[in-house]
Amino acid sequence: QENHLRVRRVAVVLQYVDMMTQYLFVACFSCISTLLPLIALVVNCIQVRGEVYVNLNAARQVLQPPAGGILGEWSQIQVLIGYIAITINVCVLIFTADFSIVASISPSKIWSFVVLEHTLLALKYVLASVIADRPSWVVHEIRKHKLDKTSEPKPEDINSFSLRVTRRRSIFAQNAASFL
């Protein structure tokens, strides 16, 4: 049982590695190849259809295995990729904007790069500070859930919860079947 859980966790981690690599390429190099986001969208749609088909028909498994607390680490990697993408895109735009064969690095280009990059990084930081990570309704539900955990669950609450989970699973299965 423990080995099975380890294998599932490794599979989830590898799935996240694949998604982050794709996100890195799209974020950093979409200004070079404008078709890259479209290609990534098509690949993701095909991948999702395949995974839904396998989970519903072959594995008979509706829910994805849990991430196991690794999402926080991946969010930090996403933030780092965002900062790297700003630097690379500004560098590409400033130093290749004249489309000349001979690449010239003049002091004005370097200053333009430094000013634009720092402005965009500051804007990203300000927006990340202003916009909440969790919507207020999510914070409210988490607080309510924590309060509910301290009290003893009632049988009718357990039945209503299992009924909600069953309904969500059937709705997910119907939506996934219609997607296929």
Side-chain angles (χ1 to χ4, degrees):
Q1 179 69 15
E2 187 176 321
N3 286 337
H4 179 67
L5 292 176
R6 281 189 190 148
V7 168
R8 291 179 80 178
R9 183 177 168 96
V10 168
V12 171
V13 169
L14 290 176
Q15 214 172 15
Y16 283 132
V17 168
D18 185 38
M19 286 188 288
M20 286 299 115
T21 305
Q22 189 179 61
Y23 173 65
L24 177 73
F25 282 124
V26 170
C28 291
F29 303 113
S30 61
C31 68
I32 295 172
S33 173
T34 54
L35 287 177
L36 192 60
L38 180 65
I39 293 169
L41 176 69
V42 169
V43 167
N44 283 337
C45 287
I46 293 170
Q47 182 179 3
V48 166
R49 276 186 81 126
E51 287 177 5
V52 166
Y53 180 80
V54 166
N55 282 335
L56 288 177
N57 295 322
R60 301 280 185 205
Q61 173 185 3
V62 175
L63 298 176
Q64 189 69 3
I70 60 174
L71 289 178
E73 298 162 9
W74 287 104
S75 68
Q76 294 301 318
I77 292 172
Q78 265 188 316
V79 169
L80 179 65
I81 288 173
Y83 287 123
I84 292 170
I86 288 174
T87 305
I88 289 175
N89 284 318
V90 169
C91 188
V92 167
L93 291 174
I94 294 293
F95 293 117
T96 62
D98 59 357
F99 300 106
S100 63
I101 296 174
V102 179
S104 63
I105 300 176
S106 64
S108 65
K109 282 188 177 184
I110 292 175
W111 280 110
S112 298
F113 168 73
V114 169
V115 168
L116 184 59
E117 181 210 19
H118 280 68
T119 303
L120 291 175
L121 288 175
L123 180 66
K124 180 176 172 50
Y125 179 77
V126 166
L127 287 175
S129 301
V130 171
I131 299 172
D133 287 341
R134 293 181 181 159
S136 59
W137 66 270
V138 172
V139 172
H140 176 71
E141 288 293 323
I142 289 173
R143 285 185 188 146
K144 190 170 84 173
H145 183 68
K146 285 183 180 177
L147 289 175
D148 288 345
K149 276 189 165 181
T150 58
S151 63
E152 187 67 30
K154 299 175 186 136
E156 60 270 7
D157 292 339
I158 293 172
N159 290 336
S160 72
F161 177 74
S162 63
L163 181 63
R164 283 189 308 220
V165 169
T166 305
R167 284 184 189 153
R168 286 183 184 161
R169 285 184 180 172
S170 65
I171 290 170
F172 176 77
Q174 289 171 353
N175 290 340
S178 67
F179 181 71
L180 293 175

